[in-house]
Amino acid sequence: RSRNRTVAMDQAVASSSGYCSNLSQAALKKAREELNEDPATRDAMIAALRDRIKQRPDLCVQDDDHILIRFLRARYFNIEQAFKLLEKYHTWRAHSPEICENMRPSSVRGLLENGYHAALPGRDQNGRKVMFYRIGRWDPSQNSAYEVFRVSLISSEKIIQDEDTQVHGIVMVADLAGLSLAHAMQIGPRVAQKIGSITTDAFPIRVKEIHLLNEPMLFDALFAIIKPFMSEKMYNRVHLHGPDTEALLQHLDRDALPPEYGGTGLPLDEACSQWTDTLLASEDEFSAMSYCNPEHDSEEDVDNDEVELPWSM
């Protein structure tokens, strides 16, 4: 789908701080109307957030306008709320070494090459990127839940570099066909808490909808573990469709979806292959994102999942 990428005049000139917006006109209009973004005050808002960060020298924050503005957009240009999001983002990463100490895409090459996930090409009718997952392509004997989670985090870090995505947000679609007890046994309270945090208040991305397809019988028990860690707003954005792909088309236009799910877009295997190539080509970039906190208290990372789960009762 072709989209108007004409850049407004106030975007074309780099700011005094070196920041130059690449928002499309449609995204700029939405940013003004929904996110309180004003090109005339944008630099001042970035500077104010930077000053707030200086009050926390212990935070490992990259001093880059293009990164700071992600947090401002995610919190409607409220300085204090953007700072709190940034704080939670770095705290979450520091307390998640099993996920974040090795952010190289090659660390999850097997999952990627098996077609587990793709950020689909193009956008939906609302300008949102569609993130697609196939749980049946995850072999729990080969990859842990933390590695699966790392795939999503790596992918999110990549797509949030696009400024239109920062404004329009994303839609997540997961086909749960093939979800088994072996998968479910890896998703206890600790993993559930991390899922809830990163989708709700610890990452600068706007998750607009979550669509689940082909939920098996054990899904209810699994979702009961995850639900307490989700905000009410996020919970209300979850849609359960069962095997009805036509219901999915009530939310996403056909152009945004692969033909296997009623769409007219790129076949999913091809989309997965393309996205895998994109991520693997960014190996050096993600190597720099790997987070190591030598002062981290390992006792906080003791696996708390050894509790009686619904499916083991």
Side-chain angles (χ1 to χ4, degrees):
R1 174 183 309 164
S2 62
R3 289 187 178 275
N4 185 356
R5 297 295 303 179
T6 303
V7 179
M9 183 174 296
D10 61 14
Q11 297 171 268
V13 179
S15 71
S16 59
S17 65
Y19 173 77
C20 183
S21 173
N22 291 312
L23 290 176
S24 65
Q25 286 191 335
L28 177 59
K29 183 175 184 292
K30 179 176 283 189
R32 287 178 181 271
E33 295 174 352
E34 297 184 13
L35 306 184
N36 303 316
E37 181 166 349
D38 182 352
T41 61
R42 187 191 283 140
D43 286 356
M45 299 295 281
I46 294 173
L49 178 57
R50 177 176 285 109
D51 288 342
R52 183 69 178 87
I53 292 168
K54 289 177 180 177
Q55 299 173 27
R56 283 289 309 276
D58 56 306
L59 283 180
C60 179
V61 179
Q62 187 174 350
D63 189 9
D64 185 323
D65 291 359
H66 293 84
I67 291 177
L68 299 185
I69 201 167
R70 300 173 191 173
F71 293 88
L72 288 167
R73 286 175 175 146
R75 288 298 179 265
Y76 306 96
F77 278 78
N78 180 302
I79 300 297
E80 192 59 30
Q81 290 300 315
F83 174 73
K84 288 180 179 178
L85 174 60
L86 189 148
E87 241 183 348
K88 290 178 180 179
Y89 169 81
H90 286 282
T91 298
W92 187 93
R93 284 169 61 86
H95 291 164
S96 304
E98 61 282 289
I99 299 169
C100 299
E101 279 187 354
N102 184 2
M103 285 284 286
R104 297 174 181 86
S106 60
S107 71
V108 287
R109 180 189 291 268
L111 278 164
L112 292 170
E113 292 183 343
N114 203 35
Y116 166 70
H117 165 68
L120 300 184
R123 299 178 182 274
D124 76 351
Q125 68 276 13
N126 296 312
R128 305 171 299 189
K129 289 294 288 185
V130 179
M131 308 277 280
F132 212 106
Y133 301 84
R134 290 185 288 187
I135 200 74
R137 299 297 182 96
W138 165 27
D139 181 350
S141 70
Q142 298 296 317
N143 296 101
S144 70
Y146 290 126
E147 290 172 312
V148 170
F149 205 157
R150 189 184 305 148
V151 169
S152 186
L153 185 59
I154 289 172
S155 196
S156 296
E157 291 282 8
K158 188 64 179 177
I159 65 167
I160 203 61
Q161 294 174 3
D162 181 89
E163 294 199 70
D164 276 22
T165 301
Q166 294 170 23
V167 172
H168 292 301
I170 67 170
V171 175
M172 303 175 76
V173 181
D175 184 346
L176 303 183
L179 178 66
S180 67
L181 188 61
H183 295 102
M185 290 299 291
Q186 291 206 32
I187 306 175
R190 177 169 168 73
V191 174
Q193 187 273 333
K194 290 186 180 295
I195 293 172
S197 293
I198 205 70
T199 56
T200 301
D201 62 1
F203 195 87
I205 201 166
R206 306 179 72 202
V207 181
K208 306 302 291 182
E209 296 174 5
I210 300 174
H211 297 276
L212 305 178
L213 296 161
N214 298 312
E215 314 92 273
M217 290 184 62
L218 61 80
F219 170 76
D220 289 343
L222 181 60
F223 195 56
I225 297 292
I226 300 172
K227 181 181 174 182
F229 300 103
M230 301 179 72
S231 67
E232 182 179 359
K233 182 168 81 169
M234 191 59 61
Y235 172 74
N236 290 334
R237 293 179 178 179
V238 177
H239 304 270
L240 307 180
H241 299 297
D244 187 4
T245 56
E246 286 298 315
L248 184 60
L249 293 170
Q250 296 176 17
H251 301 268
L252 298 170
D253 61 358
R254 292 185 185 275
D255 290 349
L257 292 170
E260 300 94 321
Y261 296 87
T264 57
L266 195 67
L268 191 50
D269 281 343
E270 291 183 40
C272 288
S273 179
Q274 286 187 7
W275 188 241
T276 294
D277 290 343
T278 296
L279 294 181
L280 291 175
S282 306
E283 183 81 359
D284 291 343
E285 171 189 326
F286 279 100
S287 179
M289 287 186 190
S290 296
Y291 198 104
C292 182
N293 182 5
E295 298 181 358
H296 175 67
D297 184 354
S298 61
E299 291 184 2
E300 291 183 16
D301 275 322
V302 173
D303 198 332
N304 294 320
D305 291 351
E306 293 183 2
V307 296
E308 194 170 56
L309 302 176
W311 44 79
S312 61
M313 293 180 179

